[in-house]
Amino acid sequence: MTSGTTSFPERFTKIDDLTRSDHYYLNADDVCLFLGEYTAQMGFAHSATNQLIINFKKPMDCRGRPEWRYKKQNIVKAAQALYRAFGKADLQAYTFVPVPPSKARTDPMYDNRLTVMLKMVSEFVHQHRGGHLDVREMVIQTQSTGAVHDSDIRPEPEELADLYEIQHKMLADAKDNIVICDDVLTTGCHFGAMEMVILEALPEANIRGMFLARRVTPSSG
């Protein structure tokens, strides 16, 4: 499957036996869905997914520059795509938990783009279907690290989990079905770390992952 060059996908694809090996921290029983395929080491022009993801990830120090509008535009585009991909699913059965950014909340480079996107999806749901998404920043990162996509050093899920902290006030009345949300599925490390800390707090939770894209290499894509 490729993302194509004309439009960002608006249908979910499930990680299966053929694609799981590209994300080596995922287990066979992990349920993860994605929209597009982001091709590593390629630029904006490679595909609609590359264009969206690169703009979506623009760092916070781009604020005030002309390119900042592309970040805002692609957050909206991502939210619209997710809303359409949900179709007629019973969204009230899920709690949506964004993966925290690599920077702590006190860091000037802290980027809550995933939360902004999910709350935008929630507004679309409210406008067109009634109700809202249950979006909770249930996990925070306690200290800043380098963004994984900017580094050749890949942490283990256990190492990343040590940097995560559950926000206990966010646990009350959480749904049994927890959806961990991230922009790009790379190794599966962030998903695994999030799953560890959430299951420690909510051991009966049924956890799955939802991603704007999965990473592929030029040879695998």
Side-chain angles (χ1 to χ4, degrees):
M1 171 186 165
T2 58
S3 301
T5 57
T6 57
S7 61
F8 184 66
E10 295 179 348
R11 294 182 64 184
F12 285 120
T13 299
K14 185 178 179 180
I15 296 293
D16 57 19
D17 291 341
L18 295 177
T19 53
R20 191 175 297 107
S21 61
D22 293 333
H23 316 288
Y24 45 85
Y25 286 122
L26 293 185
N27 299 315
D29 56 351
D30 287 331
V31 177
C32 291
L33 305 174
F34 67 94
L35 292 178
E37 289 186 335
Y38 169 74
T39 306
Q41 304 166 26
M42 305 296 285
F44 292 88
H46 179 72
S47 69
T49 298
N50 271 40
Q51 184 178 79
L52 183 141
I53 293 298
I54 291 170
N55 281 308
F56 190 85
K57 285 180 171 288
K58 281 186 182 296
M60 298 303 287
D61 57 6
C62 287
R63 189 190 296 271
R65 301 178 189 174
E67 64 263 34
W68 182 254
R69 71 182 187 274
Y70 297 116
K71 182 181 182 76
K72 296 173 66 175
Q73 289 170 0
N74 281 274
I75 289 174
V76 175
K77 185 182 292 187
Q80 292 170 333
L82 282 175
Y83 172 72
R84 293 182 183 120
F86 285 141
K88 297 181 179 180
D90 179 12
L91 301 176
Q92 303 308 308
Y94 301 93
T95 291
F96 294 83
V97 180
V99 171
S102 60
K103 300 298 185 282
R105 287 181 172 181
T106 55
D107 194 305
M109 294 294 283
Y110 175 80
D111 183 358
N112 67 339
R113 60 185 181 266
L114 289 169
T115 300
V116 172
M117 176 193 71
L118 288 171
K119 289 184 176 179
M120 198 171 292
V121 177
S122 184
E123 286 304 310
F124 293 151
V125 171
H126 180 66
Q127 292 169 18
H128 300 289
R129 297 172 53 172
H132 286 94
L133 293 189
D134 182 20
V135 179
R136 305 189 187 201
E137 291 181 302
M138 193 177 285
V139 179
I140 64 168
Q141 186 160 314
T142 56
Q143 64 186 66
S144 295
T145 61
V148 171
H149 64 272
D150 289 334
S151 174
D152 293 329
I153 300 173
R154 300 290 182 182
E156 300 284 331
E158 294 80 6
E159 294 176 299
L160 194 54
D162 286 341
L163 299 178
Y164 285 167
E165 181 179 280
I166 281 281
Q167 300 299 284
H168 292 280
K169 64 184 179 181
M170 294 289 183
L171 299 179
D173 301 319
K175 307 297 173 61
D176 293 335
N177 299 302
I178 303 289
V179 182
I180 296 170
C181 307
D182 206 354
D183 41 27
V184 180
L185 173 62
T186 305
T187 64
C189 176
H190 287 78
F191 174 80
M194 290 286 288
E195 188 175 40
M196 286 179 197
V197 298
I198 291 173
L199 284 177
E200 185 174 348
L202 298 171
E204 302 301 318
N206 175 31
I207 294 180
R208 63 196 66 193
M210 183 184 76
F211 304 85
L212 293 178
R214 78 178 192 100
R215 185 197 65 176
V216 297
T217 61
S219 58
S220 65

